[in-house]
Amino acid sequence: MTIFVVTSPKRGSGKSTLAMNLTEYLHLQGNTLYMDTDDNKQNFEWVSWHRKGFDFEHISLKDHPDELVHRVERAKAQYDDIVIDIAGHDTYALRSVLMQADKLIIPMSVDSEDQDMYSEMLQLAISVSQFNTQLKVYGVLTRVPQQIEIAQIAANQNLLKDIPGAYFLNTIIYEDEAFNEAKDLGRSIWEHSPEQGKRFDQFILELMANTMQAA
């Protein structure tokens, strides 16, 4: 089984969009649990409107900071895959689930002023990976404007280049209202926009690859 943690220090990064659609893909392959720690009601609404193809749990870290790691430990025997949607702040809850995780996915922007936030996030990943040696870190550009400078992409690549087991994915998720529309309608991106679904397929293929070359 595989534990995926999707997190970002920036609000509106596309974190939940990635987590939801990754869950949609995984549940077609096996028994999948989506664990949401955001207090955003939109996540509840997406699941309640969506077909019941996977299990969903919400855990309030504010009220029960210890519950997430305990629930993950119990769920590992029940599911083929677990997707955890959690804010990218250096907290006990995040460190605890990263100690059990296989893949850490960080949606990243191309804004230069955000680089310090991502650096802090990656430093956390480095410290955890010293103890959890199976942890792989993946950076993916999301909500990117259609016109993007190569230098902006290179800046993100450089953030990951010195981290063992870290990969900068070649797939870019461009800004497209189709993702928000799909969430509002309780649909997957494949159902709502086949074109964007194909791009998300590229992201999935890179993420699932057994052998990858760092960018």
Side-chain angles (χ1 to χ4, degrees), residues 1 3-5 33 35 37 57 59 66-79 82-84 93 96-101:
M1 66 92 59
I3 298 176
F4 300 83
V5 174
L33 172 65
M35 304 186 74
T37 66
E57 293 184 8
I59 296 176
D66 297 328
E67 178 59 23
L68 178 60
V69 65
H70 296 320
R71 180 61 190 119
V72 171
E73 188 62 42
R74 295 194 299 271
K76 288 187 330 188
Q78 301 174 257
Y79 294 94
I82 300 172
V83 178
I84 303 170
S96 296
V97 295
L98 288 181
M99 287 296 294
Q100 301 187 62

Side-chain angles (χ1 to χ4, degrees), residues 43-134:
N43 294 10
F44 291 102
E45 292 168 354
W46 183 80
V47 173
S48 65
W49 292 336
H50 205 55
R51 59 182 174 273
K52 304 302 181 181
F54 52 84
D55 288 342
F56 172 80
E57 293 184 8
H58 176 266
I59 296 176
S60 174
L61 298 180
K62 183 185 300 184
D63 298 331
H64 306 286
D66 297 328
E67 178 59 23
L68 178 60
V69 65
H70 296 320
R71 180 61 190 119
V72 171
E73 188 62 42
R74 295 194 299 271
K76 288 187 330 188
Q78 301 174 257
Y79 294 94
D80 298 307
D81 295 297
I82 300 172
V83 178
I84 303 170
D85 182 346
I86 184 171
H89 307 298
D90 189 351
T91 61
Y92 167 79
L94 178 56
R95 283 181 175 266
S96 296
V97 295
L98 288 181
M99 287 296 294
Q100 301 187 62
D102 300 287
K103 295 178 184 285
L104 167 61
I105 307 163
I106 307 173
M108 306 173 78
S109 75
V110 293
D111 295 334
S112 58
E113 58 265 29
D114 295 336
Q115 300 303 301
D116 287 343
M117 286 193 302
Y118 296 125
S119 294
E120 293 177 8
M121 180 80 253
L122 294 167
Q123 288 301 316
L124 170 60
I126 291 172
S127 65
V128 170
S129 64
Q130 294 177 10
F131 302 95
N132 178 7
T133 56
Q134 70 184 5

Side-chain angles (χ1 to χ4, degrees), residues 25 28 33 39 62 109 114 129 159 179 185 203:
Y25 170 86
L28 297 175
L33 172 65
D39 290 326
K62 183 185 300 184
S109 75
D114 295 336
S129 64
L159 287 174
F179 286 101
L185 293 170
F203 160 71

Side-chain angles (χ1 to χ4, degrees), residues 122 147 198:
L122 294 167
Q147 300 297 324
K198 290 180 182 178

